[in-house]
Amino acid sequence: MTEEAEISSSSAVGPAAGYFYQLRYGLLRALEHFPKNPTSIISIETLDDVSIAGASLTVDSQLKHSIDPNKKISKFSPAIWRTLAIWLGRLRQGVDDHHEFHFITTAEVDDENPLHHLRPVPTDLDVNAALQGLEEAATSSSSATTSNDRLAFLEASDGEKLSLVRRIRLADTKPNLEAIATDIEQQIRYACEGEQVASFRRDLEGWWIGRVFDKWVADGGAQIELEELGTQVSFLKERYKLSELPLDVPEQDCEDLMEDSVFIKQVRAVTESERRLRNAQKAFLRAKVQRSKWVREHRIDPTELEGFDNELRDRWEAHHASECDLLSSGATSDDKIEVGRSVLRWAETNEVPIRSTRSVYLTSGSYHALADALAVGWHPDFSDLFGSDK
């Protein structure tokens, strides 16, 4: 490759990497911001590279990505003065007290650059030192490239300059285009299995880039509501959801029967079998531990378990109603107990799948948990027998 070709290739790679970095950084910031401020709006390349407007804070960020890992940004850098001129214009358009300007770069801001005082949470002394240093740098430089931007800064009023510098936050030596993918994966790790994270991230990035292009306005960049991102993450969670959940909890035992539990009282109302009582308790405890483990390990969303319980209730309602319909108007207490015993037997042996996972203990244990909450019952008169006033 000739020297001219190398220069041309490098000059093309740098801006391309910077543009994709902007897209990835915007996605990362949106993922970080969404849980706390889901109604916020993120802007890509409107007034700044990336901006997020929320209820309590608005942040305008200028991004400077470098393909040179050893690059340092001096106080005379055109990137610094162009950014300050942009922010000064933004300040004059009108901002409230909860508005910050962030300078984000993969390079290092050297210690001679006054901006180094502004990382990460500057004090008043830091702000004054940064302001003084910027004024000195603007005055001492003779660069034609930055002359207009430096002049704009120097001609600003003392109040404008102080207000501007007080809002600036520096974040240098940030992860580059490749490394920031890892930060994105950390944000979405909860949404899928570990081995799926990279694929999940690629699918989410593909949607994100397409959404930015869809929203793009020629003279104003793109604005995206964070709720759209939340919806897409939820959609991908369903797509990446494992079809089968692991059944990895051993049998749970307890030395004493849980006699004060409503589900044990419900079983006693229709059978005197101690073995069935023990089995009910084991299934109840094992199902409870298994379900909690799934939620804790982010294998399932609690709303999906609620849907599973709703299906159990629907099935129970149909079966219980059909069994009770067999009772005559003169049914005896023994007749009702026999019906309740039959319904209990049905719940003990049923297998209702959750996704493609089927288990007798999970179904029967979940039924006993519902019985404990009086959402289902075995005896035809279970509500009267075990209501809250009993």
Side-chain angles (χ1 to χ4, degrees):
M1 182 181 290
T2 66
E3 181 179 350
E4 290 80 2
E6 287 180 356
I7 294 173
S8 175
S9 174
S10 175
S11 63
V13 169
Y19 180 66
F20 284 110
Y21 181 78
Q22 181 181 0
L23 292 173
R24 266 193 175 164
Y25 180 82
L27 175 57
L28 175 62
R29 290 292 289 128
L31 288 168
E32 291 172 339
H33 210 71
F34 174 74
K36 297 173 288 187
N37 297 280
T39 60
S40 297
I41 295 175
I42 187 166
S43 302
I44 307 293
E45 207 166 87
T46 51
L47 295 172
D48 268 278
D49 289 336
V50 174
S51 299
I52 293 185
S56 58
L57 181 67
T58 297
V59 175
D60 292 338
S61 299
Q62 280 283 324
L63 313 180
K64 304 302 174 186
H65 181 274
S66 175
I67 58 176
D68 178 3
N70 300 313
K71 182 178 177 61
K72 292 193 176 184
I73 299 179
S74 77
K75 59 186 176 182
F76 301 119
S77 167
I80 294 292
W81 294 104
R82 181 84 288 265
T83 296
L84 292 176
I86 291 171
W87 285 345
L88 187 59
R90 180 76 180 92
L91 189 72
R92 286 169 174 165
Q93 289 178 358
V95 297
D96 60 27
D97 292 338
H98 305 290
H99 198 120
E100 294 179 356
F101 299 114
H102 291 192
F103 190 88
I104 313 294
T105 178
T106 58
E108 181 182 358
V109 169
D110 67 37
D111 289 341
E112 296 299 316
N113 188 326
L115 290 188
H116 87 272
H117 292 288
L118 304 179
R119 65 159 96 93
V121 182
T123 64
D124 287 343
L125 289 176
D126 293 326
V127 170
N128 289 333
L131 177 55
Q132 181 180 345
L134 287 170
E135 288 176 331
E136 291 173 354
T139 302
S140 63
S141 176
S142 58
S143 168
T145 303
T146 62
S147 60
N148 290 337
D149 293 331
R150 287 185 292 106
L151 182 61
F153 180 80
L154 290 171
E155 289 182 345
S157 69
D158 290 342
E160 285 177 328
K161 285 185 285 190
L162 179 60
S163 179
L164 172 62
V165 176
R166 182 174 285 143
R167 298 169 190 275
I168 296 175
R169 303 289 183 269
L170 170 67
D172 58 344
T173 65
K174 299 298 287 182
N176 62 16
L177 173 61
E178 181 180 2
I180 202 173
T182 302
D183 292 343
I184 292 173
E185 289 176 5
Q186 287 296 327
Q187 292 294 320
I188 60 175
R189 190 165 295 277
Y190 74 94
C192 60
E193 295 295 310
E195 62 272 17
Q196 298 176 320
V197 172
S199 294
F200 192 109
R201 189 252 309 158
R202 285 191 290 269
D203 281 347
L204 185 61
E205 283 184 332
W207 170 86
W208 177 256
I209 292 171
R211 202 72 189 110
V212 171
F213 290 168
D214 288 344
K215 294 273 191 172
W216 199 269
V217 177
D219 59 348
Q223 290 190 329
I224 301 173
E225 296 178 358
L226 295 195
E227 288 178 332
E228 293 185 52
L229 175 64
T231 299
Q232 182 65 18
V233 170
S234 295
F235 169 77
L236 289 176
K237 278 177 65 177
E238 288 298 312
R239 227 181 77 184
Y240 277 82
K241 187 165 60 179
L242 291 178
S243 61
E244 188 166 345
L245 294 163
L247 295 170
D248 52 4
V249 167
E251 186 175 278
Q252 306 291 304
D253 205 352
C254 185
E255 185 175 339
D256 298 317
L257 277 173
M258 303 162 69
E259 293 289 359
D260 291 335
S261 300
V262 174
F263 81 95
I264 290 293
K265 293 177 181 179
Q266 287 231 51
V267 175
R268 284 201 181 280
V270 297
T271 181
E272 296 177 356
S273 170
E274 290 296 318
R275 185 176 180 184
R276 292 179 77 176
L277 285 163
R278 290 287 180 186
N279 288 340
Q281 180 176 270
K282 289 177 182 179
F284 172 85
L285 293 173
R286 191 177 183 187
K288 181 179 181 180
V289 173
Q290 181 69 81
R291 290 166 58 127
S292 296
K293 189 170 187 287
W294 284 340
V295 172
R296 188 171 63 253
E297 294 177 351
H298 305 294
R299 295 180 182 274
I300 195 169
D301 192 278
T303 56
E304 188 175 353
L305 285 174
E306 290 175 11
F308 176 63
D309 288 341
N310 288 337
E311 182 177 359
L312 293 183
R313 275 195 293 268
D314 290 343
R315 290 173 180 247
W316 164 84
E317 173 61 35
H319 189 77
H320 191 259
S322 66
E323 289 291 314
C324 291
D325 196 44
L326 298 176
L327 292 171
S328 65
S329 57
T332 65
S333 176
D334 288 343
D335 293 334
K336 292 182 178 182
I337 289 174
E338 183 57 37
V339 165
R341 189 179 296 126
S342 174
V343 176
L344 174 61
R345 186 183 309 112
W346 169 84
E348 290 171 332
T349 58
N350 223 341
E351 280 189 1
V352 178
I354 179 167
R355 300 188 192 168
S356 60
T357 300
R358 309 177 72 95
S359 164
V360 171
Y361 85 77
L362 183 66
T363 302
S364 63
S366 297
Y367 265 127
H368 286 302
L370 291 171
D372 201 54
L374 285 176
V376 304
W378 323 125
H379 194 283
D381 301 327
F382 76 94
S383 294
D384 295 330
L385 292 172
F386 305 108
S388 58
D389 59 335
K390 303 299 181 187

